[in-house]
Amino acid sequence: MEMLKKFSGSSLFLPVVALTVLLIFNTLFVDGFLTIQMTEDGHLYGRLVDILNRSCSLIILALGMTFVIATSGIDISVGAVVAISAAVVCTLIGGRGDGVAEMPMSVAMLAAVGVGVLCGMWNGLLVAKFKIQAVVATLILMTAGRGVAQLMTEGQIITVYYKPFEYIAGFLPNMPLPTNIFIALAMVILVAILMKKTSIGLFVQSVGINPTAARYAGINVTMVIFLVYAFSGLCAGVSGLIESSLIRAADANNAGLNMEMDAILAVALGGTLLSGGKFYVGGSVIGAITIQTLTTTMYALGVSADQLPVVKAAAVIIICLIQSKKAQEMFDKWKASRHSQQKNDTKAVIGKAVKQL
Amino acid sequence: MTSKLNQMIASKYFSFFVTLALFVILYGAGMAIYKGFMRPQVFLNLFIDNAALIIVTIGITFTLIIAGIDLSVGAVLALVCMVLAWLLANTGIPLSLAVLLVLVMGTVFGAVQGYIITKFDLQPFIITLAGMFFCRGLTAVISQDTIQIVNPDWVALASYRIDLGVGFVSIGAVVALIMIAIAALVLGFTKFGRAVFAIGGSESSAALMGLPVFRTKVMVYAISGFCASMGGLAYSLIMLTGYNLHGLGMEMDAIASSVIGGTLLTGGVGFIPGALIGVLIQGVILTFISFQGTLSAWWTKIVVGALLCVFIIMQAFITEQKSKLSSKSSMEDNNNPPQAAPAAQ
């Protein structure tokens, strides 16, 4: 009981409940949801593995977005950065039909991630140095980014036939799980260690709560904000690698489309306040998995990809309302008034009874 | 000399003049490079092709002035096109009623967004981002395929040309210009317009002054929704279809136009004619690209992104300059009170 109470009060409570509800719903209504099979070549296979596999790029994006939102910023350019990174890696490896890479894959991968970091640094420069609101600053890249990606791929969808490229989002030889799960895991662990062993988390949090006070406390606010956006760019770059490897192509129009919304939603679902301050990395990870589960569930129920945003939009608005202070105040007031009304009712009943006596 | 320059920079219309100069230079360069640019019809086409964007930009400008934002406009525009096409294809209701219905729908949607944002004190971009996804999704729920509009009256309206002697304009362009005029008048000369600017300057001061902050904010988002649905009608006059991907990314173009036209993203400053010029600049860039013939249309996005960046940084610079100027002039005030009356804008 004590433990249950402690758990229900913790920040992870809501996200875990949401995920559990979704999973139970799936087990009941989707055939063979829980079955996991081993294929002949030693790969695990099943809906659960699929959900984990597909949620990796979102988890990584949500990691970066968590820190950005914690500094009370926002990065709406991540979708475009994913497209740019995908375009870079695919153009460098090249779409040669004979399966030969034009550049070594390591160079291409490094370049893709590097471009992501550069994009993040650009956003960081605008937000931290020029003091431009985050929405607006990242809007620039959101507008221009897809154009840049289109130019790189010359408006074509570049399909990569180079075999090792599939490994990023596929299976390495003799591995039971897809590689991107390990990539996501590694990044989450890295962030967790940084949080535990250094005071980066504290810096980010104090900048999010009150930048002026943080500056007086001796924190280099400009640097913290700049690094946060650079990290978000890095995450988007890695995400772009995974997304392009998943379809073995760079599609500048559709890679990472609407992903910024999913990433924001994941962070919000994880319990991080969208107005900045305290943040929960674990919550964001669970939030990202929840969203992917929701997406897969909807697909399983026959909702098309175009129609899905209706559900997600409703989820965002509900989360925002739950988080909003005003709504909480109104709820408390309503509860209080109901309480007093109940009291009055009992008083009236007692009074009646006394009179009758 | 420097004081004159400072005053010019501090003027409310500085970015408008920069924008206007940019437009003239771009257009002049076009005329110098391509003979076709000289034709008056090329100029009129800017209005015809961008009628929807002009109308949508009006609404966006309103929301930006109160330091808000409306990311849902492109999706509302698509939804309006789709609902109109669906109503005309599947029900027997008259055209005028269908048009009225979609206008009411867009306005109510905007008002609901405004209500949620204001009532619960939420960040406008999150709510309108959700609104954008909601409308896009709803459009797909109605139909995932293109629905043609074959209503003869609407088609006739779409192909109607108003002859100006040197060229012609479409109904959409005329509507856009009328709306620009109305919006400029409302913002410049009405109580409501002053309340909008006051809220953008400082919401709490506006509330202390006794201005109806809540009502004004909801109305501004309703106006944005109305403009988006009006833009949807103009768009459907050009496209004559309803389709899920109509107006994709239009919110960004509209915000960019508004910013390039001198609207301050921190609120409180905005100029409707500037927003019009902002749209026209984007139109000229697109015309350039189509005249050139070898460039990818994606260059528009990149150039607009770059322009947006330049103007935003310019805004930051101007704001800083202004605060410096005002602190300087107040210092001068203190030093020599008698003759101190510099233009402390």
Side-chain angles (χ1 to χ4, degrees):
Chain A
M1 197 63 209
E2 186 77 352
M3 256 188 60
L4 197 74
K5 219 171 195 178
K6 206 173 158 193
F7 179 63
S8 74
S10 92
S11 55
L12 285 183
F13 179 66
L14 263 178
V16 170
V17 168
L19 183 58
T20 320
V21 169
L22 258 181
L23 288 179
I24 293 173
F25 179 87
N26 270 301
T27 336
L28 293 179
F29 293 101
V30 179
D31 285 338
F33 180 71
L34 291 179
T35 24
I36 294 180
Q37 288 166 333
M38 184 76 104
T39 55
E40 279 169 18
D41 42 0
H43 299 161
L44 287 174
Y45 165 84
R47 275 193 191 270
L48 282 176
V49 180
D50 197 45
I51 288 177
L52 260 190
N53 186 13
R54 295 273 166 169
S55 56
C56 283
S57 52
L58 190 55
I59 290 176
I60 294 170
L61 274 187
L63 274 185
M65 190 65 91
T66 310
F67 289 103
V68 171
I69 289 182
T71 60
S72 72
I74 192 94
D75 186 352
I76 55 174
S77 71
V78 285
V81 177
V82 165
I84 295 177
S85 152
V88 167
V89 73
C90 289
T91 7
L92 285 185
I93 293 179
R96 283 175 58 174
D98 53 359
V100 178
E102 279 171 18
M103 282 269 184
M105 199 170 94
S106 51
V107 174
M109 282 168 68
L110 269 181
V113 176
V115 165
V117 175
L118 271 182
C119 290
M121 281 161 73
W122 162 254
N123 284 333
L125 186 76
L126 288 182
V127 178
K129 194 81 196 163
F130 291 105
K131 307 260 185 301
I132 294 163
Q133 298 134 286
V135 193
V136 175
T138 51
L139 181 75
I140 296 173
L141 202 54
M142 188 186 181
T143 312
R146 256 172 225 288
V148 173
Q150 284 282 2
L151 282 185
M152 270 179 208
T153 59
E154 287 163 353
Q156 308 284 316
I157 295 177
I158 298 179
T159 313
V160 175
Y161 297 97
Y162 182 57
K163 261 273 175 256
F165 184 58
E166 295 171 18
Y167 289 156
I168 304 173
F171 295 88
L172 277 172
N174 299 326
M175 278 293 194
L177 286 172
T179 323
N180 53 359
I181 295 184
F182 297 109
I183 299 176
L185 199 65
M187 287 192 69
V188 172
I189 290 174
L190 181 80
V191 168
I193 290 175
L194 280 179
M195 290 292 107
K196 273 265 184 296
K197 297 282 173 198
T198 69
S199 31
I200 292 176
L202 199 66
F203 286 179
V204 169
Q205 206 167 306
S206 50
V207 168
I209 293 169
N210 187 339
T212 320
R215 203 180 62 237
Y216 286 137
I219 296 172
N220 189 344
V221 175
T222 316
M223 198 44 141
V224 169
I225 296 181
F226 178 77
L227 285 181
V228 157
Y229 282 89
F231 181 65
S232 175
L234 172 92
C235 290
V238 175
S239 210
L241 276 183
I242 295 175
E243 285 289 307
S244 57
S245 166
L246 212 54
I247 55 170
R248 291 178 203 113
D251 181 353
N253 259 334
N254 295 314
L257 196 64
N258 298 343
M259 260 191 145
E260 51 277 348
M261 184 69 171
D262 279 353
I264 296 167
L265 187 54
V267 175
L269 204 60
T272 302
L273 277 185
L274 290 173
S275 45
K278 202 148 178 51
F279 62 97
Y280 307 98
V281 174
S284 299
V285 172
I286 295 175
I289 298 176
T290 311
I291 288 165
Q292 191 53 49
T293 315
L294 181 74
T295 312
T296 346
T297 313
M298 289 294 150
Y299 288 159
L301 295 179
V303 175
S304 86
D306 299 337
Q307 300 167 344
L308 194 63
V310 178
V311 183
K312 284 187 187 161
V316 174
I317 292 186
I318 291 170
I319 293 171
C320 282
L321 287 181
I322 291 174
Q323 284 191 353
S324 129
K325 266 192 200 131
K326 278 263 179 80
Q328 277 165 9
E329 277 166 22
M330 275 157 71
F331 181 70
D332 288 344
K333 238 189 229 163
W334 175 74
K335 235 163 103 182
S337 75
R338 222 180 70 156
H339 198 67
S340 66
Q341 208 176 0
Q342 264 176 358
K343 255 189 193 162
N344 287 342
D345 285 352
T346 14
K347 258 187 198 164
V349 169
I350 293 172
K352 237 183 192 173
V354 169
K355 256 184 199 166
Q356 274 177 356
L357 274 174
Chain B
M1 186 61 210
T2 37
S3 76
K4 214 166 196 176
L5 194 73
N6 277 340
Q7 251 181 38
M8 221 174 80
I9 290 175
S11 147
K12 231 164 68 181
Y13 302 114
F14 177 68
S15 2
F16 170 70
F17 285 123
V18 171
T19 313
L20 193 64
L22 187 65
F23 176 72
V24 171
I25 291 169
L26 273 176
Y27 210 87
M31 290 213 256
I33 301 170
Y34 308 107
K35 238 183 168 174
F37 252 79
M38 303 274 199
R39 290 210 315 272
Q41 189 57 46
V42 171
F43 182 71
L44 293 176
N45 277 346
L46 287 181
F47 292 90
I48 297 174
D49 296 340
N50 296 305
L53 185 58
I54 292 173
I55 300 174
V56 168
T57 305
I58 296 172
I60 285 277
T61 309
F62 271 88
T63 59
L64 290 179
I65 292 176
I66 62 161
I69 202 161
D70 188 352
L71 296 175
S72 71
V73 286
V76 171
L77 176 137
L79 183 62
V80 162
C81 286
M82 179 60 94
V83 170
L84 185 73
W86 187 86
L87 282 175
L88 294 178
N90 295 318
T91 62
I93 64 169
L95 179 67
S96 51
L97 187 64
V99 167
L100 192 70
L101 265 178
V102 292
L103 282 180
V104 169
M105 181 189 73
T107 315
V108 169
F109 184 78
V112 168
Q113 285 190 132
Y115 182 81
I116 295 178
I117 291 166
T118 323
K119 181 82 183 171
F120 298 105
D121 203 12
L122 294 168
Q123 283 148 309
F125 81 90
I126 288 268
I127 297 301
T128 54
L129 193 65
M132 157 178 150
F133 275 71
F134 187 78
C135 286
R136 274 275 172 235
L138 216 56
T139 314
V141 169
I142 295 171
S143 166
Q144 295 193 38
D145 302 316
T146 312
I147 301 182
Q148 297 278 347
I149 297 179
V150 287
N151 183 301
D153 293 339
W154 197 246
V155 175
L157 211 59
S159 50
Y160 191 75
R161 303 262 177 266
I162 298 161
D163 201 9
L164 293 180
V166 288
F168 61 84
V169 288
S170 66
I171 299 275
V174 173
V175 171
L177 287 178
I178 292 174
M179 284 184 70
I180 284 277
I182 294 175
L185 288 178
V186 165
L187 271 180
F189 301 101
T190 64
K191 227 158 117 185
F192 174 74
R194 284 194 291 277
V196 169
F197 279 113
I199 291 173
S202 163
E203 202 175 316
S204 42
S205 313
L208 287 175
M209 274 195 281
L211 291 171
V213 172
F214 189 94
R215 205 179 65 209
T216 310
K217 277 180 85 174
V218 174
M219 265 180 81
V220 161
Y221 284 99
I223 288 174
S224 178
F226 173 76
C227 287
S229 41
M230 203 65 187
L233 291 180
Y235 203 75
S236 107
L237 277 179
I238 293 176
M239 292 297 187
L240 285 174
T241 53
Y243 182 48
N244 188 27
L245 296 182
H246 274 345
L248 200 66
M250 195 175 232
E251 54 280 345
M252 301 309 155
D253 293 342
I255 293 169
S257 315
S258 202
V259 170
I260 292 171
T263 305
L264 217 57
L265 282 161
T266 41
V269 178
F271 196 47
I272 293 284
L276 174 67
I277 309 279
V279 175
L280 295 185
I281 285 183
Q282 293 193 40
V284 171
I285 297 169
L286 204 60
T287 315
F288 252 108
I289 287 167
S290 64
F291 268 75
Q292 179 67 30
T294 55
L295 284 170
S296 148
W298 285 96
W299 275 108
T300 328
K301 292 259 170 220
I302 295 170
V303 174
V304 168
L307 272 182
L308 192 61
C309 181
V310 169
F311 274 80
I312 288 172
I313 291 177
M314 191 176 86
Q315 282 186 2
F317 171 74
I318 290 173
T319 320
E320 201 179 318
Q321 198 76 4
K322 261 186 196 171
S323 60
K324 250 191 221 160
L325 274 182
S326 62
S327 68
K328 213 182 189 176
S329 62
S330 64
M331 251 157 59
E332 280 165 12
D333 280 356
N334 292 338
N335 290 342
N336 37 1
Q339 346 64 326
Q345 292 232 354

